[in-house]
Amino acid sequence: MLTILEPEQSLFKTEIELIHVEKIIGSGYEEQIAKLAIIDKVAYRAARKNMQINSAIVLKLNGVFSGFFTFQVNHEAKEFCLLQSAMSPGTEDEAIYSQMVQKIIDQNTFGYPMIMTVSTKHDLEKPEVFHALGFQTYLIASGFHYVVYGKLSDVRLKLLAHIAMTNLWKSTTAEWLKIKREWNEKIEEAGKRRGIADPKFATRSGCWQGDQGTANVVLSTKKIIDDKIVSDNSKTLNSNASVLDPAACEIILRMFMPIAGRIVYNPFGGGVQMGFVAGASGFDYVASEIRKNQCDANNAICADFKGVKWIQADSAKFIPDFRADLVFACPPYYKVETYLDYDGRPPDGEINSLTTYDEFRDVLFAGYERAIEAMNDNTFFVVMTGDSRDKSGGYYGCEAEHELFFKRAGLLIYNRIVYLESEFTRRAMAKKTLHHRKFPKAEQKIFAFFKGRASKIKELYPAIGRL
Ligand SMILES: C[S@@+](CC[C@H](N)C(=O)[O-])C[C@H]1O[C@@H](n2cnc3c(N)ncnc32)[C@H](O)[C@@H]1O
């Protein structure tokens, strides 16, 4: 196809041709594109045979080959990827380059989101050029802007994949913290509207009991008031509960919920975070939680989400009357926190108050067994868990026992993710614990166990597309 555009006033006498080629190979332009790609260096990949199967816009100025922009339409992921671009040395011009981009936009008759990675250091392939044409930046990383022409919601899974790209989830990066802050603001706002104080911690302020675990750093300050030394313990981390990270919740939900999935089940409900994020993402969420005070607070905060509810129940006995498309649990870590109800006591069946670790583990796994029975085939069971130390100083081995339990139950140990927390407080702890050769634990595990045939995952789970 050949398109001849009228010369632009500002480009007096320059005839601009923008030619759309369906495939570079066989178009007659393969060698010119390969040579310019090699000279350009940044666009060098366009010289590769396996990249020349892609489409391109070829630029001719006054009849002379002067540039290209390659692209690929991915119908499977329903997206339009802009790839490499270059203009011949001496012909570089932002206005003409922008016309090449616009010509690619015109090829998108499918309404797919269009994505591109551009660099702040490039003369043409740079954010300003793309922003002027309607692209938006959805991620900035190492000087690169990841831009999209379309809705930001279309690239949400891609954004989450970028911030959690390997099995090391660093919860302290700027992008991660931004997502976490946004969710926490929404939770705070919903709590305020429903009259629930401190919704992040609701019913669990002060439940932290650990003295050898993770966040046990005392930040108390002392002041002299009326000649007396007064301690202010309000900033002591000990007074706070472990709070589930809503950014991790969103990643888990988007990554591990099948395309046709709708219902999340959590056998150890706890805080409001996963239910809130699930509801706001359009999913149903059912949690069994043994404490009535926690159920009441969470149900109030999430009153706007009709399909989200915490049911007061012992998960070892609770039989779901639905099939789950994703199970998620962040269960108690043995003896790290206490979980108290309205009467100031742990309810019967609350596993963290059981006398021995073995009892705790057996009832925990009984809750998992009920949940596994409720899972649809080809779905994930995601557990965020940690380990704690017994009186002799050794770990109970709860993480390892999780893997063995799920393996014996017939699930695949599909992902073993390390959730990395801020090291700051752990470094302070190390000053005490390293003398005993105890390295403070700055991570938790997120296991994703899979029930079914892993070969079905690519087909049944949302496509991530190009990263
Ligand atoms: C560690 S908390 C969840 C922590 C999570 N990180 C959060 O943000 O809430 C685990 C929850 O399990 C609940 N629980 C304990 N035993 C239970 C049982 N047998 N059935 C259901 N829930 C139980 C506790 O009351 C607690 O709220």
Side-chain angles (χ1 to χ4, degrees):
M1 197 213 300
L2 181 80
T3 314
I4 302 180
L5 298 187
E6 289 301 314
E8 299 257 328
Q9 294 249 302
S10 60
L11 306 161
F12 187 57
K13 282 189 181 156
T14 304
E15 189 195 356
I16 304 167
E17 287 175 65
L18 294 167
I19 303 155
H20 171 213
V21 298
E22 204 56 52
K23 237 184 203 188
I24 300 167
I25 290 180
S27 69
Y29 292 104
E30 45 273 67
E31 191 164 333
Q32 284 165 304
I33 289 179
K35 280 185 181 155
L36 177 54
I38 292 164
I39 294 167
D40 182 80
K41 293 197 174 82
V42 177
Y44 72 95
R45 271 178 301 179
R48 289 192 191 147
K49 282 268 174 308
N50 64 348
M51 294 303 279
Q52 293 213 335
I53 56 166
N54 292 315
S55 308
I57 297 298
V58 170
L59 170 71
K60 282 189 179 176
L61 297 178
N62 294 329
V64 179
F65 173 86
S66 302
F68 66 85
F69 207 133
T70 63
F71 62 96
Q72 180 198 44
V73 187
N74 182 346
H75 290 295
E76 199 180 302
K78 295 194 175 13
E79 69 182 13
F80 204 107
C81 306
L82 283 73
L83 302 169
Q84 294 87 34
S85 68
M87 286 183 76
S88 304
T91 70
E92 296 95 337
D93 179 286
E94 219 172 285
I96 299 175
Y97 180 83
S98 298
Q99 285 190 40
M100 277 208 287
V101 181
Q102 185 57 54
K103 182 77 178 172
I104 298 187
I105 295 174
D106 296 344
Q107 308 309 309
N108 184 9
T109 51
F110 315 98
Y112 293 163
M114 305 180 76
I115 54 159
M116 174 71 187
T117 309
V118 294
S119 163
T120 46
K121 295 199 183 102
H122 201 286
D123 290 337
L124 296 168
E125 215 178 79
K126 58 187 176 183
E128 302 88 293
V129 168
F130 285 80
H131 290 165
L133 290 164
F135 283 77
Q136 304 177 73
T137 295
Y138 64 91
L139 173 71
I140 303 174
S142 322
F144 290 98
H145 278 236
Y146 293 80
V147 295
V148 60
Y149 186 91
K151 296 195 294 288
L152 287 177
S153 55
D154 289 335
V155 285
R156 187 71 180 179
L157 181 57
K158 221 183 271 297
L159 168 65
L160 298 173
H162 271 288
I163 70 164
M165 225 171 198
T166 68
N167 76 338
L168 192 56
W169 290 10
K170 296 180 195 157
S171 69
T172 51
T173 62
E175 303 77 43
W176 187 293
L177 291 173
K178 182 169 175 282
I179 293 174
K180 182 173 171 180
R181 195 170 46 246
E182 286 164 0
W183 278 116
N184 279 335
E185 281 165 9
K186 288 192 177 121
I187 291 171
E188 283 297 325
E189 199 269 322
K192 219 178 248 162
R193 256 186 308 120
R194 300 290 171 185
I196 303 294
D198 209 3
K200 243 165 85 179
F201 296 100
T203 80
R204 295 196 296 120
S205 295
C207 77
W208 175 268
Q209 300 294 308
D211 58 357
Q212 9 211 356
T214 50
N216 184 36
V217 174
V218 178
L219 299 173
S220 64
T221 50
K222 291 196 191 308
K223 284 184 190 151
I224 298 175
I225 300 174
D226 294 337
D227 211 27
K228 285 201 179 103
I229 297 173
V230 178
S231 294
D232 173 7
N233 289 323
S234 60
K235 286 215 172 75
T236 307
L237 287 184
N238 288 8
S239 67
N240 289 339
S242 62
V243 175
L244 197 54
D245 179 336
C249 293
E250 190 185 0
I251 298 168
I252 291 166
L253 280 168
R254 301 266 181 170
M255 282 284 171
F256 298 122
M257 176 63 92
I259 300 166
R262 191 172 58 86
I263 305 181
V264 186
Y265 172 52
N266 185 342
F268 293 91
V272 75
Q273 287 74 17
M274 183 53 104
F276 189 93
V277 178
S281 308
F283 299 122
D284 289 352
Y285 177 87
V286 181
S288 51
E289 162 57 54
I290 202 142
R291 285 174 303 121
K292 174 105 171 60
N293 57 353
Q294 183 79 68
C295 294
D296 292 347
N298 294 353
N299 284 328
I301 298 165
C302 291
D304 287 341
F305 306 127
K306 293 295 162 239
V308 172
K309 62 180 173 204
W310 282 258
I311 298 170
Q312 188 196 7
D314 178 344
S315 59
K317 298 180 185 143
F318 180 72
I319 313 270
D321 60 357
F322 53 87
R323 307 294 299 166
D325 303 303
L326 168 63
V327 176
F328 170 79
C330 180
Y333 304 174
Y334 189 54
K335 295 289 184 203
V336 172
E337 295 179 330
T338 48
Y339 301 116
L340 312 176
D341 213 333
Y342 285 121
D343 60 2
R345 293 201 206 131
D348 279 351
E350 193 288 303
I351 60 174
N352 230 1
S353 54
L354 293 170
T355 326
T356 66
Y357 167 75
D358 286 358
E359 283 173 88
F360 160 87
R361 180 207 51 216
D362 290 348
V363 188
L364 173 71
F365 289 177
Y368 288 168
E369 264 161 28
R370 301 283 88 76
I372 292 171
E373 284 157 17
M375 287 168 79
N376 274 322
D377 282 344
N378 298 314
T379 58
F380 284 95
F381 194 133
V382 180
V383 185
M384 182 161 189
T385 191
D387 217 331
S388 49
R389 295 178 187 271
D390 64 20
K391 288 207 167 57
S392 63
Y395 279 118
Y396 287 108
C398 194
E399 292 176 12
E401 291 210 80
H402 268 78
E403 296 197 28
L404 295 176
F405 166 78
F406 279 95
K407 195 172 171 185
R408 281 184 198 125
L411 281 76
L412 302 179
I413 304 169
Y414 204 67
N415 281 298
R416 186 186 289 129
I417 294 160
V418 175
Y419 172 86
L420 198 65
E421 299 166 347
S422 161
E423 279 182 284
F424 176 73
T425 52
R426 312 302 187 276
R427 284 174 181 274
M429 271 184 84
K431 293 178 186 173
K432 259 174 32 185
T433 64
L434 282 187
H435 302 296
H436 303 279
R437 298 301 183 270
K438 281 184 192 166
F439 287 81
K441 201 167 181 323
E443 48 75 39
Q444 297 175 53
K445 296 294 181 316
I446 297 176
F447 295 116
F449 303 107
F450 187 69
K451 177 181 173 182
R453 273 197 297 142
S455 58
K456 303 288 281 179
I457 291 175
K458 188 152 185 288
E459 170 198 333
L460 298 178
Y461 286 73
I464 298 169
R466 192 181 175 82
L467 287 171

